[in-house]
Amino acid sequence: MASIFSPDKKRMIDAGFGSIAHVPVVFDSTSNYCREVNRYLRERATLDWVPQGAKKVVLLAERSLENIARNLGNFIEWCKACNSDEHRKNRPGFDDWRSLTYEDVLQYQRDQRSGAWSKDRRKLTPETANGRADTATDFLQWAAQRGLRPPFQVKLTTVRNKANSAKLSRSRITSRHFRVGREKASRSKALQTALSLPRVDEVRAWLSAVLRKRGKAKFLACRFILEVGARRMEVAALTEDQWPTQETLMLLQKRGDLFATLELIETKGDVPRDVMIPIEYAFEVREWIDGPRLRLTKAYFGRTKERTSSLFLSDSRGYEGTPIQSHTIYDCFHEVKPRPPGWAPHFGRHTFACFFVLRALESEAKILGKDLTKMGADWVMGRGTWWLNLLRRQLGHADEETTEIYLRWLMSATQVATVAKGWHESLNIEDF
């Protein structure tokens, strides 16, 4: 498959190429430099070209460029596979991406969904197939505009949705343009995911396994998702100076505060937001920063002569001090066993949201002197909606459909509300 390499940023900057120092470089499976693809990545990075209908014109974050590079690498390899003698028998006239039509892009999308173009012939999700096909479409439109291929025609449709603002209580109508023929996401699958959240003991067992098998640093990074509801790329982007100081945490504890606040700067959509961190977890990370992390940074400097500000640093032998990347966090969720069924970082966000709100409802019912299971559907729906709207800013999304899924789970979970008791406390595994 295609390979993605990150340039030496310092050397690029010193050579006068600071504006593209963060742009990844793509080589195909035969180690050939993908000239047009890499030119496209540079123009996207410098905003010399922006896709038609883009929601907003902003500089792409490094992680976004990496995702585009990976998608294009996959697309180029698909083109090469289709151009082989075996495939040309069934696809007469197929040359390479310069001759593709929009129908060919839809075939690329279908091949992923069917498993014809995926690792181990596994059927890929609509989200993955759509994302890759979207990237391929943008690239082919760019190539046509740059005179690298004939015109590329794409059929578009307009979709209007109601979305809630993270800052405002009212809803607004948004309009977006989408490619005709995109795969429809399975809403039932998302609902099934939210309705089959893991038990607390399953999460504890997995966290304990991460600590034993992958070390304290990766354990703390994974736990951030469960304690805060952040995305894995947001966790990987954290820096040490963002974490509350010992003095700040001591003051908050003295005042009786249960949470500290932290600003996530690098986020999906590049809109910073404040999140709440349970005070016990904040102290645990602070202790790690002021102890083991200092030794890791020294080891990293001794090995690379570079300093890093990343918060979570690897403590694996031979990689001491190396910043933990988002794919490493994913591997911890996906590979470390025992693990809850279908466990993944995004599923961890679902788990955080649902248990946080359920615990809040339990507390409210207790204040009223009642049992949560006796409060009734209307009360659960009303208060659950209020808490989810409050939590929307913490999660960093404004998806009404996701909120509805969470409410469906709450309606089911209130019948067995005891599973949520002590959620944050249960993540303190000092006895392990």
Side-chain angles (χ1 to χ4, degrees):
M1 299 302 289
S3 300
I4 313 298
F5 292 92
S6 297
D8 187 316
K9 293 181 183 179
K10 186 177 184 304
R11 291 181 60 184
M12 292 284 287
I13 294 172
D14 291 343
F17 299 103
S19 63
I20 57 172
H22 63 297
V23 181
V25 181
V26 181
F27 293 83
D28 66 18
S29 57
T30 58
S31 299
N32 288 321
Y33 179 77
C34 298
R35 186 175 302 278
E36 294 84 1
V37 167
N38 290 315
R39 177 185 168 187
Y40 171 77
L41 289 170
R42 292 193 298 271
E43 292 196 19
R44 288 298 308 274
T46 57
L47 298 182
D48 288 333
W49 189 84
V50 178
Q52 181 181 5
K55 289 193 294 184
K56 53 184 178 180
V57 180
V58 295
L59 289 172
L60 293 176
E62 186 172 346
R63 63 183 178 277
S64 299
L65 288 169
E66 290 176 354
N67 288 335
I68 294 173
R70 291 192 187 94
N71 287 348
L72 285 176
N74 182 275
F75 175 62
I76 293 300
E77 292 304 315
W78 177 81
C79 291
K80 290 176 60 178
C82 290
N83 201 30
S84 65
D85 291 339
E86 179 182 351
H87 284 82
R88 286 176 70 89
K89 296 177 182 178
N90 301 322
R91 305 280 302 280
F94 185 96
D95 183 12
D96 61 11
W97 56 263
R98 294 171 180 81
S99 63
L100 290 183
T101 65
Y102 182 58
E103 179 54 40
D104 292 316
V105 173
L106 292 180
Q107 184 60 50
Y108 170 56
Q109 182 177 283
R110 289 191 290 269
D111 283 351
Q112 296 174 77
R113 287 289 291 129
S114 66
W117 181 251
S118 70
K119 185 179 180 180
D120 302 326
R121 298 289 176 176
R122 180 172 53 89
K123 295 181 179 180
L124 302 183
T125 65
E127 292 79 8
T128 298
N130 287 334
R132 290 178 176 175
D134 288 342
T135 300
T137 299
D138 291 340
F139 170 70
L140 295 175
Q141 287 183 308
W142 167 86
Q145 294 179 20
R146 294 296 184 259
L148 301 175
R149 56 154 292 140
F152 184 75
Q153 302 296 328
V154 182
K155 295 181 179 179
L156 299 175
T157 185
T158 302
V159 176
R160 292 179 174 82
N161 290 316
K162 184 172 74 170
N164 287 326
S165 168
K167 296 181 178 180
L168 302 175
S169 58
R170 62 178 182 273
S171 299
R172 68 185 189 279
I173 302 298
T174 61
S175 296
R176 293 188 61 187
H177 300 290
F178 292 93
R179 295 182 295 107
V180 172
R182 294 178 97 248
E183 294 286 336
K184 292 184 178 180
S186 173
R187 189 166 181 271
S188 60
K189 182 178 180 180
L191 180 60
Q192 181 181 3
T193 298
L195 294 181
S196 58
L197 293 181
R199 300 189 309 271
V200 170
D201 63 296
E202 291 178 317
V203 178
R204 281 175 55 86
W206 170 76
L207 275 174
S208 178
V210 172
L211 180 60
R212 293 195 314 271
K213 299 176 182 180
R214 301 296 173 94
K216 184 64 175 285
K218 298 180 181 68
F219 159 76
L220 291 174
C222 291
R223 188 170 158 190
F224 189 90
I225 294 176
L226 299 172
E227 295 278 15
V228 179
R231 298 176 176 88
R232 59 187 171 104
M233 58 88 172
E234 295 170 341
V235 179
L238 286 170
T239 56
E240 183 272 335
D241 62 333
Q242 290 178 255
W243 204 261
T245 64
Q246 182 76 10
E247 292 75 15
T248 298
L249 294 177
M250 292 292 290
L251 177 60
L252 293 173
Q253 186 180 59
K254 184 177 181 180
R255 292 191 330 200
D257 292 346
L258 300 178
F259 295 91
T261 59
L262 179 146
E263 183 183 29
L264 297 180
I265 299 174
E266 293 193 34
T267 67
K268 182 179 180 180
D270 298 312
V271 179
R273 70 179 189 276
D274 292 330
V275 295
M276 298 182 297
I277 312 170
I279 197 73
E280 294 86 357
Y281 172 69
F283 268 114
E284 185 173 353
V285 175
R286 185 73 255 173
E287 181 180 353
W288 178 81
I289 291 173
D290 295 336
R293 186 183 178 280
L294 291 176
R295 295 190 291 272
L296 294 173
T297 56
K298 292 179 180 178
Y300 185 71
F301 181 77
R303 191 174 68 254
T304 67
K305 305 306 178 187
E306 296 180 358
R307 302 188 185 278
T308 177
S309 62
S310 295
L311 173 59
F312 294 115
L313 306 178
S314 175
D315 48 16
S316 298
R317 181 173 299 180
Y319 297 91
E320 291 88 349
T322 301
I324 294 175
Q325 303 295 317
S326 63
H327 64 81
T328 301
I329 297 173
Y330 177 84
D331 290 342
C332 288
F333 274 78
H334 192 66
E335 296 175 358
V336 175
K337 297 179 180 179
R339 56 189 286 268
W343 198 225
H346 194 69
F347 199 9
R349 274 168 50 84
H350 284 316
T351 304
F352 159 79
C354 289
F355 277 103
F356 184 96
V357 175
L358 186 54
R359 188 181 179 199
L361 296 183
E362 274 194 308
S363 298
E364 285 195 345
K366 186 176 181 179
I367 291 174
L368 296 173
K370 297 183 180 180
D371 188 288
L372 178 58
T373 60
K374 309 297 184 183
M375 295 302 293
D378 289 342
W379 186 88
V380 171
M381 288 288 284
R383 297 306 300 162
T385 299
W386 188 89
W387 278 105
L388 285 171
N389 284 333
L390 184 67
L391 199 62
R392 197 184 302 276
R393 178 70 177 173
Q394 174 104 354
L395 294 171
H397 66 65
D399 188 340
E400 278 199 340
E401 189 169 292
T402 303
T403 301
E404 182 180 345
I405 290 172
Y406 291 161
L407 287 173
R408 288 282 299 274
W409 181 86
L410 286 170
M411 292 302 297
S412 172
T414 49
Q415 303 306 310
V416 286
T418 54
V419 299
K421 289 185 176 179
W423 168 241
H424 286 300
E425 288 83 350
S426 70
L427 296 177
N428 292 321
I429 57 173
E430 297 175 353
D431 52 326
F432 290 144

